[in-house]
Amino acid sequence: MTKGIYNSLTERKQLGKKSFAVLIDPDKVTDDNMEQLIQLSVAAGVDYFLVGGSLVISSYLDECLQLIKKNCSIPTILFPGSPSQVSKYADALLYLSLISGRNADLLIGQHVISAPFVKQSGLEIMPTGYMVIDGGAPTTVSYISNATPIPSDKNEIAMCTAMAGEMLGMKLIYMDAGSGAKRAITEDMIAKVSKSIDVPLIIGGGIIEPEKAYLNCKAGADVIVVGNAIEKDPNLIKEMAAAVHSVPVKA
Ligand code: 1GP
């Protein structure tokens, strides 16, 4: 199941190297701005592209992934809002189980339905404990998932959820305040969760300033994901990547 990309994530974690991922929502890009995003990402040393969205209404997913493949070697990881967002043109798939919610369908139900299709895709499958943290406003993910996010100040709940996810076999934990969150996840929560698990920790949702990306990494995040802020200002890619990569590597 897990191989190349997951190995690179764990190796980077062991070395204390932080990664920066640009989130691309196929509904919000065109060939023209994709080319610009790819160029800026290559120049900035972006580590991964996460591709997906809560809805993905357009049929641009395959094309968008092919365009990335054609123009650069940055690995593409699917971040699907539903099983229909599986594409053979990606390198890997975040196989998400919404462990912060109590919606059986998103914990296991949709996985059962799509299992043969996902297996046949040939993608590298990365089992991921997905935790939605309250970001101060209802986001698409909180609405679509029909599940209550973890309150932003309940660090212990986040910590225990991540620990349980890891013990259940999840290879990654992704804490997300939701796209366009008003409040990003606190460094305090990131620090507590990061100390209680050994698998790589992905953090996203509402990160709009490079300084916050840096502080999140210092607190223990291994991968920082930014989507919305980059859609608004693609030039932010350079500053975000520089901030994440400036975190000192462990001696
Ligand atoms: C959302 O974590 C991602 O699922 C990124 O959030 O779009 O707010 O950067 P933003």
Side-chain angles (χ1 to χ4, degrees), residues 21 23 28 50 52-54 79 130 139 141 174-182 202-208 224-231 240:
L23 174 63
K28 297 186 183 157
L50 251 60
S54 296
F79 173 42
Y130 187 49
T139 58
V141 66
Y174 188 160
M175 285 211 293
D176 195 349
S179 198
K182 283 192 183 157
I202 308 173
I203 300 291
I207 302 171
I208 52 172
I224 297 293
V225 181
V226 179
N228 243 357
I230 287 171
E231 280 160 23
M240 286 283 185

Side-chain angles (χ1 to χ4, degrees), residues 17-154:
K17 274 192 188 171
K18 308 297 180 176
S19 306
F20 179 54
V22 170
L23 174 63
I24 295 174
D25 182 339
D27 279 343
K28 297 186 183 157
V29 287
T30 60
D31 277 355
D32 286 345
N33 57 20
M34 269 309 294
E35 274 167 28
Q36 185 203 17
L37 271 182
I38 294 168
Q39 272 175 18
L40 291 169
S41 300
V42 170
V46 165
D47 300 289
Y48 305 99
F49 281 122
L50 251 60
V51 183
S54 296
L55 291 172
V56 184
I57 302 160
S58 71
S59 54
Y60 192 58
L61 179 66
D62 285 350
E63 255 177 82
C64 167
L65 287 161
Q66 285 172 292
L67 194 71
I68 297 174
K69 277 273 108 64
K70 201 175 118 202
N71 288 288
C72 71
S73 57
I74 299 172
T76 51
I77 303 174
L78 290 170
F79 173 42
S82 70
S84 64
Q85 293 174 35
V86 174
S87 167
K88 63 178 181 187
Y89 298 108
D91 296 309
L93 167 75
L94 293 181
Y95 198 52
L96 305 168
S97 180
L98 183 63
I99 59 173
S100 59
R102 299 296 177 267
N103 177 342
D105 212 30
L106 299 179
L107 273 164
I108 182 69
Q110 295 200 357
H111 310 69
V112 173
I113 293 166
S114 59
F117 172 60
V118 171
K119 192 151 184 168
Q120 274 163 26
S121 71
L123 293 166
E124 177 179 347
I125 309 292
M126 303 196 285
T128 304
Y130 187 49
M131 295 168 50
V132 179
I133 312 298
D134 186 12
T139 58
T140 312
V141 66
S142 62
Y143 175 77
I144 296 279
S145 66
N146 194 18
T148 313
I150 294 177
S152 57
D153 59 346
K154 299 290 181 199

Side-chain angles (χ1 to χ4, degrees), residues 172-189:
L172 296 165
I173 296 292
Y174 188 160
M175 285 211 293
D176 195 349
S179 198
K182 283 192 183 157
R183 277 195 316 258
I185 298 170
T186 64
E187 284 118 66
D188 205 19
M189 183 180 273

